[in-house]
Amino acid sequence: IVPNGKIYQGGQISLRVTVRDALNQAMDEELERDERVFLLGEEVAQYDGAYKVSRGLWKKYGDKRIIDTPISEMGFAGIAVGAAMAGLRPICEFMTFNFSMQAIDQVINSAAKTYYMSAGLQPVPIVFRGPNGASAGVAAQHSQCFAAWYAHCPGLKVVSPWNSEDAKGLLKAAIRDNNPVVFLENELMYGVPFEMSEECQSKDFTIPIGKAKVERQGNHVTLVSHSRFVGHCLDAAVVLAKEGIECEVINMRTIRPMDVEAIEASVMKTNHLVTVEGGWPQFGVGAEICARIMEGPAFNYLDAPVTRVTGVDIPMPYAKILEDNSLPQIKDIIFSVKKTLNI
């Protein structure tokens, strides 16, 4: 928690909390609330987590509940899925979701499909969490976004928080959920502080999975995004507002099940839609939103084609200037909004 970060708003005490600390609070509260919950992964215990998200938990809960694993994702993801089948509620941390490809068989075939294949007899209450998408300067093998990969698979819930409130409320909801949840964090967001209201600081605070949030009201164009790029959309909206263009910004929060109704309601109001994501364009989150809008009642309200702002369709380059040009920037969002509004 950022020191001296108390902000008083209408009698409510709001704190400035980083995304890292919000995730830590969520896990701490759920470990305390339910003794079936435990955390396992590389470096999560003695080292306090590769990104310090599990700081202090090993000292508080000990070796039985906070477990350091060898560098073998397929092995420890399999152990976690088995533990979930046996009645525990594991949180399985991947040091990055790029490494979850080692364990994708466990996530998809063992976790996601078992409840259906057992005719509802065998739930698998597990959370797979860790940083997803591009960080900075880690090149192609460590920079991809897995939102579309995992959201493609029935049986999984896929969550992608942006700010501290999202991180805490959604992680608590994910741990309490009886289904496997893929929880996609963003490494570049961990150290960013956000205001958290008194309500969010409560131990009972959760955010329902499957509901989007309108972060900014507007009536000219709808911007839909998830994770880090929600912030980019809000920054672009501030710039565009100075030119008289009012953007409505929707933070998806959950990729699967997707809150299509929230997007449709906004499109029916603004008549224009731009999707923004850090992943690749082909078969991406934006592509799915386009298809759902085409097939649903909001299509007749569109005054222009939907525009997608995405990462570039290449493996991520290492050089910083190339990396910057491979990810959506605020200027790209502004350009796409103006193109959509024909300005």
Side-chain angles (χ1 to χ4, degrees):
I1 294 172
V2 179
N4 310 326
K6 283 195 177 175
I7 304 144
Y8 294 88
Q9 287 174 326
Q12 274 217 333
I13 302 171
S14 135
L15 282 177
R16 282 174 77 74
V17 179
T18 62
V19 173
R20 172 186 288 110
D21 288 334
L23 293 163
N24 183 283
Q25 277 174 31
M27 289 194 289
D28 189 5
E29 287 168 15
E30 294 305 302
L31 283 155
E32 192 171 57
R33 175 178 174 268
D34 185 344
E35 60 188 20
R36 295 170 300 172
V37 176
F38 71 98
L39 170 68
L40 82 169
E42 293 151 1
E43 310 275 22
V44 298
Q46 296 190 29
Y47 188 67
D48 276 346
Y51 303 100
K52 301 294 178 256
V53 172
S54 53
R55 185 187 284 141
L57 298 180
W58 176 64
K59 283 193 180 73
K60 184 170 177 182
Y61 296 102
D63 289 326
K64 263 216 159 43
R65 312 242 346 246
I66 312 293
I67 303 166
D68 276 330
T69 62
I71 303 175
S72 57
E73 280 74 14
M74 181 184 263
F76 70 74
I79 289 170
V81 172
M85 289 177 178
L88 297 175
R89 303 184 82 86
I91 305 166
C92 174
E93 175 178 314
F94 294 120
M95 199 179 283
T96 112
F97 260 93
N98 300 280
F99 302 151
S100 77
M101 286 166 76
Q102 298 281 341
I104 203 161
D105 182 55
Q106 304 288 6
V107 179
I108 306 278
N109 279 329
S110 304
K113 297 176 183 174
T114 297
Y115 189 59
Y116 178 83
M117 291 177 76
S118 66
L121 292 174
Q122 177 64 70
V124 187
I126 183 170
V127 177
F128 299 101
R129 54 156 291 274
N132 167 65
S135 174
V138 289
Q141 291 169 330
H142 292 171
S143 294
Q144 68 230 51
C145 173
F146 285 86
W149 290 55
Y150 286 117
H152 185 59
C153 175
L156 287 176
K157 293 186 177 182
V158 182
V159 176
S160 182
W162 165 57
N163 64 11
S164 303
E165 180 182 323
D166 293 353
K168 182 174 180 187
L170 288 166
L171 184 52
K172 284 169 74 80
I175 294 166
R176 294 181 192 189
D177 201 291
N178 285 327
N179 299 282
V181 180
V182 171
F183 194 89
L184 304 170
E185 299 156 13
N186 188 294
E187 188 189 328
L188 298 175
M189 295 305 295
Y190 281 150
V192 181
F194 289 93
E195 277 178 42
M196 261 173 92
S197 67
E198 217 165 351
E199 181 199 2
C200 308
Q201 293 159 41
S202 146
K203 289 191 174 178
D204 300 317
F205 174 72
T206 59
I207 291 172
I209 291 174
K211 287 274 169 255
K213 182 186 178 196
V214 177
E215 295 285 353
R216 180 191 172 106
Q217 297 281 347
N219 51 13
H220 292 135
V221 58
T222 301
L223 295 174
V224 181
S225 188
H226 68 93
S227 190
R228 178 168 166 250
F229 293 96
V230 175
H232 285 43
C233 289
L234 289 168
D235 292 343
V238 170
V239 176
L240 287 160
K242 290 177 183 154
E243 300 179 34
I245 300 164
E246 290 300 334
C247 302
E248 182 143 300
V249 178
I250 295 181
N251 170 10
M252 290 176 73
R253 285 182 165 173
T254 309
I255 313 296
R256 179 185 190 104
M258 192 187 283
D259 190 355
V260 180
E261 291 79 13
I263 301 170
E264 284 174 344
S266 181
V267 169
M268 287 171 175
K269 183 171 90 174
T270 66
N271 312 113
H272 298 88
L273 176 59
V274 176
T275 68
V276 184
E277 65 184 305
W280 291 312
Q282 193 152 323
F283 310 108
V285 176
E288 176 65 17
I289 294 170
C290 290
R292 300 285 275 274
I293 292 296
M294 283 277 290
E295 292 163 355
F299 176 67
N300 293 321
Y301 288 79
L302 282 173
D303 290 342
V306 181
T307 311
R308 290 181 294 161
V309 180
T310 68
V312 177
D313 201 14
I314 55 167
M316 178 64 73
Y318 172 71
K320 180 160 176 27
I321 182 103
L322 294 177
E323 183 178 78
D324 289 345
N325 282 287
S326 302
L327 289 168
Q329 305 294 334
I330 294 161
K331 64 177 179 7
D332 303 321
I333 300 169
I334 293 168
F335 176 81
S336 290
V337 167
K338 289 184 172 178
K339 185 175 119 186
T340 303
L341 293 171
N342 203 13
I343 294 170

